[in-house]
Amino acid sequence: MGALELREGVAGSPTDTVTPDLLSALTLEQPGDTLAIRVDGPRAWDAELAVRFRLTDGELFVLRLRNGVLTHDRGTPPLEAAPDAEFTLDEATLRAVLVGEVAPDVLAARDDVGVKGEPGTLAELFAHLGEPEPEFAIVTP
């Protein structure tokens, strides 16, 4: 691929990267990691946001943005303060949110999702993320 890029330029991504099979194969930590690398650190430096997702089976998943870094925890992580928002939903819906298939504002409006706190917090958190570049260069800068 690197040689092809040097000869002909960036080839791009020929496939759809978000499929139901892929979503079901990922752990919750994997989409959490992909969100973390998309954070615009300098812009998010002063942001302090915590969003807790309570899965319908009772398990917790928390996203925390602080000092320009997005972290995630599964289970019952220690929080310095109560989360700004908490969503109760099924795991498939959470996966869809984390990979961008369901927008934060759409999630808060769904009848099958319970919301406590400020539902706009999730959209605010996502506003600190840069857009992924599917046609990134492998070899050339």
Side-chain angles (χ1 to χ4, degrees), residues 39 41-42 44-49 64-70:
V39 171
W45 181 256
D46 293 325
E48 284 198 32
L49 304 169
R64 187 179 301 112
L65 180 64
R66 184 174 179 192
N67 295 333
V69 176
L70 180 67

Side-chain angles (χ1 to χ4, degrees), residues 5-6 10 137-141:
E5 180 181 304
L6 289 172
V10 177
I138 295 174
V139 176
T140 58

Side-chain angles (χ1 to χ4, degrees), residues 2 7 10-11 29 33-34 37 39 47 57 62 64 73 76-77 90 93-94 99 102 108 110 117 119-120 124-125 137:
R7 286 188 212 110
V10 177
E29 289 80 6
D33 290 341
T34 62
I37 62 173
V39 171
D57 67 1
V62 177
R64 187 179 301 112
D73 292 298
T76 309
D90 62 25
T93 303
L94 176 55
V99 298
V102 175
R110 288 177 53 160
E124 185 180 349
L125 187 148

